[in-house]
Amino acid sequence: KQEVTQIPAALSVPEGENLVLNCSFTDSAIYNLQWFRQDPGKGLTSLLLIQSSQREQTSGRLNASLDKSSGRSTLYIAASQPGDSATYLCAVYPGGFKTIFGAGTRLFVKA
Amino acid sequence: DAGVIQSPRHEVTEMGQEVTLRCKPISGHNSLFWYRQTMMRGLELLIYFNNNVPIDDSGMPEDRFSAKMPNASFSTLKIQPSEPRDSAVYFCASASGGTTGELFFGEGSRLTVL
């Protein structure tokens, strides 16, 4: 059974710091991995989608990597800003239709 | 595109009342999902439609929950009768299908059952 774990559950950093959020999954047979951002009271916003054949994806200050063999993905945020404060969720798509979500990492960037 | 549109954004009702949540997926997406999010259980998949057909409803908690997708641009999730433990945020998401599986979520409907 596929399980997705995100560590840490919460993180507080000063503005300007580079940071890494971690995601691990138990079954390497996935089609893709997706990182989402969720602001309080809002829906999930897709940040990056990494296909199983890819190693990483970049969007602005965000870089996500995928290592299927070790069952790990990282989301790197460069030069963090207070506006980056949100919950970040990792989700894997093992095929079929059921995307498996992690519990998320709550990030707080202090000004 | 306007994205996935859900209504109402907030619903407060009394126990026993019927609740209907609505969703308009992104045009051209052939997969639609209803999720429920709570602090205790995180995101739970309730039901999945593909080409307007319910494929898997094993996540629907009880017979009090039902979902329909009469056409490609509209879906409803109904709870009848509602109970306090149904209080949660209900999300609708759509995807273009295939093996890409990229999900796009609506803003959610926050349900409070008193």
Side-chain angles (χ1 to χ4, degrees), chain A residues 16-46:
Chain A
E17 188 164 301
N18 301 326
L19 59 99
V20 174
L21 306 181
N22 296 295
C23 171
S24 61
F25 46 96
T26 54
D27 189 341
S28 62
I30 63 172
Y31 281 91
N32 65 46
L33 183 145
Q34 195 168 356
W35 282 93
F36 294 88
R37 167 185 174 140
Q38 186 175 27
D39 292 284
K42 299 288 189 180
L44 281 71
T45 300
S46 179

Side-chain angles (χ1 to χ4, degrees), chain A residues 32 34 38 42-43 46 97, chain B residues 33 37 56 100 102-103 107:
Chain A
N32 65 46
Q34 195 168 356
Q38 186 175 27
K42 299 288 189 180
S46 179
F97 54 87
Chain B
F33 308 79
Q37 187 178 43
D56 189 300
T100 62
E102 184 173 12
L103 287 176
E107 291 289 298

Side-chain angles (χ1 to χ4, degrees), chain A residues 28-33 50-55 66 68 93:
Chain A
S28 62
I30 63 172
Y31 281 91
N32 65 46
L33 183 145
I50 311 175
Q51 300 290 354
S52 63
S53 58
Q54 298 173 319
R55 298 282 294 184
L66 174 63
K68 279 180 53 179
Y93 179 58

